[in-house]
Amino acid sequence: MNLDSVKKFLEKKGETASMVDGLPPKFLELLTLSSLHVDLIEPGRVVCSMKIPPRLLNGGNSLHGGATATLVDVVGSAAIPTVGYSSASTGVSVEINVSYLDAAYVDEEIEIEARALRVGKAVAVVSVEFRKKETGKVFAQGRHTKYLVLPSKI
């Protein structure tokens, strides 16, 4: 791939740009979460499921890695308040790591389980596991570290 084709690949202009500019704020969460169903919430744990929609596929017709990372962020963050952390925000991301172990495809039922590993005064660490519902096979694992906003002493 030469340099010009790399630039062309990265810079999406024209009709696509105007369409994207018209999207509402925080559209990425809406795009990813609109198929999500919460199955279980208990202290330190959130379990969700979804049927993979076509809009979340990559060029290889499997669940896009960016969608998986977004789910690590959002579902993982949801586990933090389940252990008693009470703030208007669940903090800001310091690190998100995702290991992609297998592919998941359109209309496949998946389960996403987030577990709060540690929620301290300033840092929270959450693990998120993605499984195929039919087989129980893990196809991705994520870990999310967040800096928690400390309450003001003023």
Side-chain angles (χ1 to χ4, degrees), residues 93-135:
S93 298
V94 174
E95 178 183 27
I96 296 177
N97 170 292
V98 184
S99 296
Y100 302 96
L101 309 171
D102 198 1
Y105 299 96
V106 69
D107 293 332
E108 204 164 7
E109 291 279 344
I110 65 169
E111 185 174 79
I112 305 158
E113 180 178 1
R115 291 183 177 271
L117 301 178
R118 172 166 167 58
V119 179
K121 292 179 183 171
V123 174
V125 180
V126 178
S127 71
V128 183
E129 190 167 85
F130 293 76
R131 288 184 292 272
K132 297 181 178 193
K133 264 194 167 179
E134 188 175 311
T135 63

Side-chain angles (χ1 to χ4, degrees), residues 47-109:
V47 180
C48 299
S49 60
M50 72 185 297
K51 185 176 178 180
I52 297 174
R55 69 178 174 277
L56 297 183
L57 300 181
N58 60 22
N61 287 322
S62 63
L63 181 61
H64 194 287
T68 304
T70 299
L71 290 163
V72 169
D73 181 6
V74 179
V75 178
S77 294
I80 295 170
T82 69
V83 294
Y85 177 75
S86 57
S87 176
S89 165
T90 57
V92 294
S93 298
V94 174
E95 178 183 27
I96 296 177
N97 170 292
V98 184
S99 296
Y100 302 96
L101 309 171
D102 198 1
Y105 299 96
V106 69
D107 293 332
E108 204 164 7
E109 291 279 344

